[in-house]
Amino acid sequence: MAGLTAAPKVMPGLPYAKGLQEAAGAGFLLYCSIAAVLLSLKFWYAIRNSGGRS
């Protein structure tokens, strides 16, 4: 069991994979925040213009 816990520290490319994972997480949060802003703007315009048409 001790060998299994020490193995991930020696694997080549692990820092690169961690960097990719952090970048993917940041990109996902950015995507979600932009989607939330666009949806809230869409609802705001829909509520604002709902009484104008008949």
Side-chain angles (χ1 to χ4, degrees):
M1 287 300 227
L4 292 176
T5 58
K9 297 177 184 174
V10 187
M11 288 177 59
L14 194 61
Y16 179 69
K18 284 184 180 180
L20 282 178
Q21 187 177 12
E22 290 174 2
F28 180 71
L29 288 177
L30 180 66
Y31 170 78
C32 288
S33 62
I34 289 173
V37 167
L38 289 177
L39 281 173
S40 63
L41 282 174
K42 180 180 177 181
F43 289 135
W44 182 72
Y45 281 125
I47 290 171
R48 188 173 150 234
N49 295 329
S50 63
R53 297 180 181 157
S54 356

